[in-house]
Amino acid sequence: MTAWTIIDAPQEEVRSGELGRRLRRFNYAVVGEYLDSQPVWLSARDPDDRMVGGLRGYVFLYWLHIDVLWVDETLRAAGLGSELLAQAEAKAKALGAHSAKLDTFEWQARDFYAKRGYREFGRIDNHTDGYYLAFMMKKL
């Protein structure tokens, strides 16, 4: 029987990135070396320099992972979301991504993404208060 202790990771360990380095060494043996994740962060600002939209994601292992896409309510359906998404996809392609993925709740933007070529490949039903979480992807 092996004995171990599980603790909250000390801040030094978190800052050092040791866990990630160990996982990368394991992965490199299978798929070869690859770049660290590369951020894809875009912000949209109005003439008064207020944020009216933005996208936060990253490219990792040739995929764009979209974490957040938000557009101010007053500008929805004006094309800003489409422009943010298109620019993020173009930036990701330039960084070597061949595909994109994201998740979105049914009350958020599933239809928006579907109209822009994303297809649902899975979902978690009743994720939150009876709503499902959709997982979507697109070939870039």
Side-chain angles (χ1 to χ4, degrees):
M1 177 180 200
T2 303
W4 52 72
T5 303
I6 298 175
I7 61 170
D8 288 339
Q11 283 303 307
E12 268 184 42
E13 184 181 294
V14 172
R15 281 191 297 275
S16 77
E18 180 181 355
L19 184 61
R21 279 193 304 280
R22 289 178 181 223
L23 180 58
R24 275 191 302 281
R25 278 196 303 266
F26 173 82
N27 290 346
Y28 290 167
V30 177
V31 298
E33 289 195 30
Y34 51 83
L35 296 173
D36 288 338
S37 68
Q38 302 161 82
V40 177
W41 290 13
L42 302 170
S43 292
R45 300 216 169 275
D46 71 8
D48 295 321
D49 202 34
R50 291 182 297 229
M51 185 185 349
V52 293
L55 184 145
R56 300 294 182 265
Y58 59 95
V59 171
F60 182 66
L61 284 174
Y62 315 108
W63 280 76
L64 169 61
H65 303 254
I66 299 172
D67 290 327
V68 176
L69 172 58
W70 173 80
V71 173
D72 187 273
E73 240 178 278
T74 62
L75 294 173
R76 292 183 188 155
L80 177 55
S82 296
E83 190 173 335
L84 284 164
L85 189 59
Q87 285 192 30
E89 291 171 351
K91 186 172 183 176
K93 282 179 76 168
L95 292 170
H98 57 69
S99 301
K101 69 175 186 144
L102 58 90
D103 59 64
T104 184
F105 284 104
E106 69 179 281
W107 75 81
Q108 290 177 321
R110 187 201 172 286
D111 293 341
F112 166 84
Y113 292 115
K115 288 177 186 172
R116 283 143 193 90
Y118 286 76
R119 68 173 182 81
E120 186 175 316
F121 67 89
R123 73 168 53 173
I124 300 173
D125 290 320
N126 197 26
H127 184 284
T128 303
D129 292 334
Y131 295 103
Y132 67 80
L133 178 67
F135 297 93
M136 304 183 81
M137 63 182 282
K138 175 183 179 179
K139 186 91 171 139
L140 298 179

